[in-house]
Amino acid sequence: MDIQALQQRFIERYGAADEPVFAFFAPGRVNLIGDHIDYSGGQVFPCAIEHGTTMLVRRSTDSMVKLASDNFDLMANLRQDELETKYDDHWINYPLAVLQQFRMAGVKTTGFECLYFGNLPSAAGLSSSAAIEVVTAYALNQLYAANMDLPTIATLCQQAENQFVGVQCGIMDQYAVAMGKEGHAMLLDCQTLECEQVPLALRDYTFVLVNSNQRRELSESLYNERVQQTVTALHLIQKRHSIEQLAELNISQLEDCEQLFTEHPVEYARARHVVEEQSRVVRAVAELKLNNLVEFGRLMYASHDSLRDQYGVSSDPLNLLVDLTRDNSDVLGARLTGAGFGGCTVNLLKQDRIDAFKETISEPYQNATGLTATFLDFAPSQGVREISLAPLQEVS
Ligand code: GLA
């Protein structure tokens, strides 16, 4: 839907008024390598994509907070004393979570009305939730003149998700969605929050996203379970090494600690993934800078295998999507991206072979799983931003 049409929908829903309407957009993200290490202080390599969530917002004359989405039926008209109540498993929790963080930061959350529209496939592991959080925080920052910079907004949104929504996620998604840069991926150190924007010079190669369209069951509780397992692993290792986060460890230090894990083999495998994935990210980015895409692709496959075997976050459909590329000489690398348990794979392949690539996936995938794979083109994009709106009278 274009922005004028969305503006029209906003007026149909809330009526015309003297207060101006503002529009903002936050993208989703794809992580190219480095999954499930952000909450262990690792480095990750995500970029923002073109699809995302648009939010139109207008200050209201009363103190009501009105939240609606053009994608879903449920809307909420909430009094200030209703803003702390969580909805069962619902998108409205994301704006409510952000509002709570603003209040905790001492900002008075006066009334507004807003309308969201998203064009990210939902539950595809492309951070549609971070897009809603970050676009809301960016808009409210402006509406309330709260004077927060982008890293502060990203951190606030992560806190929102941890504390209100209840997913113990790391900082990667919110940071990528807030700070993405066109044509670049970011090497983000999740311990220090240092961020290097790295140009994605892929010559005649490109990334393509394949959505498994597998329903993600129990993904939030499984995610939190993984986080908990890394905490257990960290505590065991801290008996021997004075580290603050798992990703600080190197592989020989980890192997030295193996006997501490005799009763925790699963936690040992999780820690091994973290330590090896961290080193893969560093190598992959170095290879990319040297234009060595073949090695970058090889590390993508190694990352997938580790997420499957050591971290236990892949699924049969995701494994099949990756396996279908392994003998394809047009494809340099493939891996699941994001949290896993369904969602998308990211594939590095020859730009002029995209159609042939789709053919090698679609039919075998459908036959084996009964699911339809869908494809998304890849364009590394700018993070959250304001969009200019035409004056109301020009909207027909
Ligand atoms: C989800 C979380 C992120 C990160 C990824 C896995 O997207 O929100 O913080 O942990 O999973 O890399």
Side-chain angles (χ1 to χ4, degrees):
M1 180 175 332
D2 70 25
I3 191 70
Q4 300 250 319
L6 195 61
Q7 191 178 11
Q8 187 63 36
R9 307 272 292 169
F10 183 95
I11 300 301
E12 282 163 16
R13 186 176 286 271
Y14 295 119
D18 290 339
E19 279 288 336
V21 179
F22 297 99
F24 303 90
F25 175 81
R29 67 96 189 88
V30 56
N31 189 23
L32 300 178
I33 192 160
D35 271 311
H36 284 282
I37 61 170
D38 59 345
Y39 50 84
S40 288
Q43 285 167 284
V44 294
F45 196 49
C47 57
I49 57 178
E50 269 183 329
H51 297 74
T53 295
T54 304
M55 176 185 183
L56 265 54
V57 60
R58 182 172 71 189
R59 216 180 289 276
S60 54
T61 44
D62 56 24
S63 61
M64 297 293 283
V65 168
K66 299 182 185 170
L67 306 165
S69 158
D70 223 57
N71 301 90
F72 306 101
D73 282 343
L74 186 97
M75 64 172 293
N77 288 349
L78 302 170
R79 295 189 310 268
Q80 291 284 325
D81 63 343
E82 293 172 317
L83 295 178
E84 300 278 346
T85 312
K86 199 174 155 185
Y87 281 67
D88 251 4
D89 197 19
H90 203 280
W91 70 269
I92 279 179
N93 290 329
Y94 299 112
L96 291 182
V98 169
L99 275 159
Q100 183 186 57
Q101 291 295 320
F102 271 78
R103 280 194 302 282
M104 284 162 68
V107 178
K108 189 162 184 277
T109 54
T110 51
F112 63 89
E113 37 211 15
C114 72
L115 178 64
Y116 296 88
F117 174 73
N119 63 358
L120 275 168
S122 66
L126 300 177
S127 289
S128 54
S129 46
I132 300 179
E133 289 158 6
V134 171
V135 78
T136 305
Y138 191 84
L140 295 184
N141 184 46
Q142 185 146 321
L143 205 73
Y144 298 146
N147 210 12
M148 294 179 192
D149 60 13
L150 285 175
T152 306
I153 286 176
T155 310
L156 178 146
C157 290
Q158 181 205 11
Q159 295 298 315
E161 180 128 2
N162 290 173
Q163 293 170 14
F164 191 89
V165 182
V167 178
Q168 301 309 314
C169 65
I171 187 68
M172 171 172 75
D173 300 350
Q174 291 78 8
Y175 222 88
V177 164
M179 310 275 286
K181 181 171 175 191
E182 199 178 330
H184 292 68
M186 63 175 75
L187 178 60
L188 174 64
D189 183 321
C190 299
Q191 190 159 20
T192 62
L193 293 187
E194 260 169 67
C195 173
E196 180 192 347
Q197 297 284 357
V198 180
L200 281 178
L202 301 176
R203 299 183 318 246
D204 42 355
Y205 282 82
T206 186
F207 289 104
V208 171
L209 297 169
V210 184
N211 188 351
S212 68
N213 286 303
Q214 177 192 8
R215 259 178 72 89
R216 297 205 297 173
E217 310 276 359
L218 295 175
S219 60
E220 290 186 1
S221 58
L222 290 172
Y223 184 91
N224 286 348
E225 183 186 87
R226 294 298 178 284
V227 176
Q228 210 36 58
Q229 288 163 339
T230 60
V231 172
T232 304
L234 178 64
H235 288 157
L236 288 170
I237 289 162
Q238 280 171 334
K239 292 183 180 167
R240 194 160 296 172
H241 293 282
S242 64
I243 53 164
E244 278 173 33
Q245 306 240 39
L246 269 187
E248 290 166 38
L249 220 57
N250 65 40
I251 193 67
S252 64
Q253 288 171 316
L254 176 67
E255 285 171 351
D256 281 348
C257 294
E258 192 168 357
Q259 68 273 35
L260 299 173
F261 284 86
T262 31
E263 282 166 26
H264 298 279
V266 171
E267 283 77 5
Y268 187 73
R270 306 300 189 238
R272 178 177 277 280
H273 167 76
V274 172
V275 172
E276 291 180 346
E277 183 81 348
Q278 162 63 24
S279 109
R280 274 189 290 271
V281 172
V282 173
R283 277 182 291 153
V285 174
E287 296 296 350
L288 181 70
K289 288 178 179 170
L290 295 172
N291 264 320
N292 188 353
L293 297 182
V294 171
E295 187 56 15
F296 190 96
R298 199 192 61 73
L299 290 161
M300 289 175 72
Y301 280 124
S303 167
H304 180 83
D305 295 347
S306 177
L307 288 161
R308 181 192 61 203
D309 301 336
Q310 313 283 352
Y311 220 78
V313 293
S314 193
S315 64
D316 290 345
L318 288 171
N319 293 336
L320 179 62
L321 287 177
V322 170
D323 289 345
L324 286 170
T325 71
R326 290 194 199 254
D327 294 330
N328 184 341
S329 58
D330 297 330
V331 181
L332 296 182
R335 60 187 290 280
L336 73 83
T337 180
F341 314 111
C344 289
T345 62
V346 56
N347 303 263
L348 177 58
L349 61 134
K350 278 198 184 129
Q351 182 130 42
D352 60 359
R353 300 290 294 164
I354 295 179
D355 288 341
F357 166 76
K358 290 179 182 172
E359 272 171 38
T360 62
I361 300 281
S362 297
E363 209 182 299
Y365 182 73
Q366 171 111 45
N367 291 343
T369 63
L371 298 166
T372 305
T374 46
F375 300 87
L376 252 87
D377 292 341
F378 169 86
S381 300
Q382 196 201 320
V384 65
R385 54 202 183 254
E386 184 167 2
I387 307 170
S388 56
L389 284 178
L392 269 186
Q393 57 270 28
E394 288 181 21
V395 178
S396 57

